[in-house]
Amino acid sequence: MKSIKVGLLGIGTVGSGTFNVLKRNREEIMRRAGRAIEITMVADLNTERARELTNGECEVVNDANLVINNPDIDIVIELIGGYGIAKDLVLKAIANGKHVVTANKALLALHGDAIFKAAQEKGVMVAFEAAVAGGIPIIKALREGLTANRIEWLAGIINGTTNFILSEMRDKGLDFDVVLQEAQRLGYAEADPTFDIEGIDAAHKVTLMAAIAFGIPVQFDKAYVEGITKLQGIDIQYAEQLGYRIKLLGIAKRMPNGIELRVHPTLIPAKRLIANVEGAMNAVMVQGDAVGPTLYYGKGAGAEPTASAVIADLVDITRLATADPEHRVPHLAFQPDAVHDTPILPMGEITTSYYLRIHVADEAGVLASITSILADAGISVGAMLQKEPVEGKPETDIIILTHQTLEKNIDAAIARIEALPTVRGKVVRIRSEELA
Ligand code: HSE
């Protein structure tokens, strides 16, 4: 049977990984796909490097348009990134009748609905396993493996850079800035790590997972995004003493009145498997009503782990290319006319538990006044920790873990606590999830 011809846009880390794995496992992949899959054309601004990486085995050009306009190309792999030129190229490739494989989470989280609609109209596929959690087949699991379930919630460590930083902060008792500098020196963090440390990358990924899990549009603009830049080492230590780890989680949860869609540092009981995912590894927990809790773990980035996901999409498309578009797995798991516009809840309306660190004067009645504010707001205390004051300094930290409450209730209670004359400075508040 005629081989499937693939055009690659951008041969950086993931592109060269894809080229190498496809070549190395050519026979095995052919046995699975039913026909050969070959990259016949690569577009990259650095043509010299692209020729070196592909050993002269395919045509190298410096203009991506030559790839997407080539009638011989069946599938275009977009590994340029961002939502500028990549968006134009993906839409043009679709208009030209090409299937598209992309690792571009930013593009899909912001423009996914338009891109999937264009693909649907043209009868082509846009596959994006590599966009979420690198080599972990979480898109496949959500879209197909768990299709019997009503998904209740999912929670993931979906950014390796921040998980590496948090692991180092915990292991070495260091503060965020120190570890970030070290991570940059070692090449674990980008020179401009903004998207990672501010939680934006994780929010792109959880936005895509939420769409597939709940059959809702892709709506990054409605996600709550809080990174790890303000997290202090002391809170990681106090959390540990209470039996918790702090992770940057992307959370999507189905509630009776809407969907919670949020990324923020989160306390998790240390006994949960996901709390023990360390370094740059990724993991996603998915709770389905039939299957119960499931956990997916693996490398969320890197040349060959991400190539593993890109090639899985190439094989899927190869198998389904001749199928009637109506009979393919829908891009967002649910049939396009069955996607519901369930509201994304504002943060005041989310329900979770909270870790509070309150710096107080060590005086009689301080604790009573704090707990009475919490009681007034109907907030129940789950655990508490108070350190002995340092000698000669009559101040101390009170750490409180609350039971679940609405975020607007805790915000109101914190405002009252901060107004107490015995409370020094701002209350530190970190959300907590049992993931039970
Ligand atoms: N920068 C991401 C991470 C990988 O640190 O996990 C690509 O999404």
Side-chain angles (χ1 to χ4, degrees):
M1 200 187 286
K2 184 175 153 292
S3 67
I4 285 277
K5 305 231 177 326
V6 179
L8 176 59
L9 310 184
I11 187 156
T13 308
V14 177
S16 56
T18 302
F19 189 86
N20 292 336
V21 175
L22 207 47
K23 190 171 152 190
R24 188 171 76 230
N25 295 342
R26 188 185 150 87
E27 289 305 316
E28 200 81 351
I29 290 166
M30 187 154 69
R31 284 171 60 207
R32 290 190 167 114
R35 57 208 280 200
I37 300 174
E38 48 179 347
I39 295 177
T40 56
M41 208 172 175
V42 172
D44 199 287
L45 292 177
N46 190 342
T47 47
E48 201 177 319
R49 188 170 164 275
R51 279 197 191 94
E52 259 170 48
L53 290 169
T54 54
N55 315 305
E57 289 167 26
C58 63
E59 187 182 350
V60 172
V61 294
N62 70 357
D63 179 0
N65 287 292
L66 294 174
V67 176
I68 60 174
N69 291 330
N70 182 339
D72 290 338
I73 297 292
D74 302 298
I75 307 175
V76 170
I77 307 178
E78 184 275 303
L79 297 175
I80 294 169
Y83 19 70
I85 181 172
K87 183 182 169 205
D88 290 345
L89 290 169
V90 165
L91 287 171
K92 276 190 203 156
I94 292 169
N96 287 348
K98 315 286 185 206
H99 302 288
V100 174
V101 172
T102 179
N104 193 336
K105 60 230 81 175
L107 174 65
L108 294 181
L110 272 80
H111 303 291
D113 287 336
I115 288 170
F116 296 130
K117 185 164 181 280
Q120 186 75 22
E121 283 167 8
K122 198 71 193 176
V124 296
M125 284 176 267
V126 174
F128 54 99
E129 185 65 74
V132 181
I136 306 175
I138 187 64
I139 298 299
K140 189 87 168 171
L142 282 169
R143 198 161 52 180
E144 296 175 50
L146 298 175
T147 202
N149 289 265
R150 185 172 161 84
I151 308 283
E152 290 165 353
W153 54 262
L154 60 86
I157 296 171
I158 41 181
N159 182 269
T161 306
T162 44
N163 203 50
F164 171 81
I165 293 173
L166 293 178
S167 298
E168 289 288 290
M169 286 173 75
R170 186 177 76 83
D171 272 1
K172 301 186 176 153
L174 297 171
D175 265 326
F176 169 78
D177 294 338
V178 180
V179 180
L180 175 61
Q181 277 174 21
E182 182 67 358
Q184 283 175 312
R185 196 180 64 74
L186 293 170
Y188 288 116
E190 307 270 352
D192 179 1
T194 312
F195 267 36
D196 292 321
I197 61 178
E198 297 293 359
I200 299 163
D201 175 73
H204 288 149
K205 294 167 181 167
V206 76
T207 297
L208 291 172
M209 289 196 288
I212 295 173
F214 305 127
I216 57 172
V218 177
Q219 26 199 344
F220 171 72
D221 56 331
K222 300 210 179 119
Y224 172 80
V225 191
E226 179 184 322
I228 61 167
T229 53
K230 297 192 179 72
L231 200 61
Q232 295 177 45
I234 185 83
D235 294 305
I236 293 179
Q237 287 165 31
Y238 284 145
E240 183 112 39
Q241 289 166 29
L242 288 159
Y244 288 77
R245 300 259 167 95
I246 299 182
K247 297 289 183 187
L248 183 71
L249 285 190
I251 298 170
K253 200 185 283 187
R254 192 198 291 269
M255 300 296 280
N257 51 344
I259 306 278
E260 296 184 3
L261 182 59
R262 47 193 169 99
V263 170
H264 49 71
T266 313
L267 272 77
I268 315 172
K271 63 187 178 210
R272 299 270 178 269
L273 274 177
I274 195 170
N276 294 281
V277 171
E278 298 292 2
M281 299 304 281
N282 281 200
V284 183
M285 269 186 94
V286 183
Q287 170 84 23
D289 68 338
V291 72
T294 58
L295 178 66
Y296 310 83
Y297 171 82
K299 287 189 180 158
E304 295 209 354
T306 313
S308 167
V310 168
I311 295 169
D313 280 344
L314 291 179
V315 172
D316 257 3
I317 293 176
T318 301
R319 286 173 176 149
L320 293 171
T322 52
D324 173 354
E326 300 301 312
H327 297 133
R328 294 180 190 143
V329 181
H331 292 110
L332 292 176
F334 290 72
Q335 298 297 336
D337 59 1
V339 168
H340 290 165
D341 208 1
T342 315
I344 305 292
L345 295 173
M347 280 306 277
E349 298 299 326
I350 72 147
T351 306
T352 190
S353 310
Y354 294 86
Y355 161 104
L356 306 177
R357 171 162 59 84
I358 310 164
H359 196 65
V360 296
D362 188 24
E363 288 171 19
V366 174
L367 188 55
S369 45
I370 291 171
T371 49
S372 99
I373 290 173
L374 293 174
D376 280 355
I379 299 168
S380 167
V381 173
M384 237 197 62
L385 184 71
Q386 185 184 333
K387 292 306 205 187
E388 276 195 78
V390 180
E391 217 169 301
K393 202 172 176 225
E395 292 180 359
T396 190
D397 281 333
I398 293 175
I399 317 297
I400 292 175
L401 283 184
T402 74
H403 286 306
Q404 288 204 336
T405 184
L406 280 176
E407 180 134 330
K408 65 184 175 195
N409 293 347
I410 201 84
D411 283 347
I414 287 173
R416 285 186 64 199
I417 290 170
E418 284 175 346
L420 291 171
T422 46
V423 168
R424 309 277 182 259
K426 300 296 258 181
V427 172
V428 173
R429 179 202 63 179
I430 306 174
R431 300 172 187 91
S432 176
E433 293 283 341
E434 286 303 305
L435 303 182

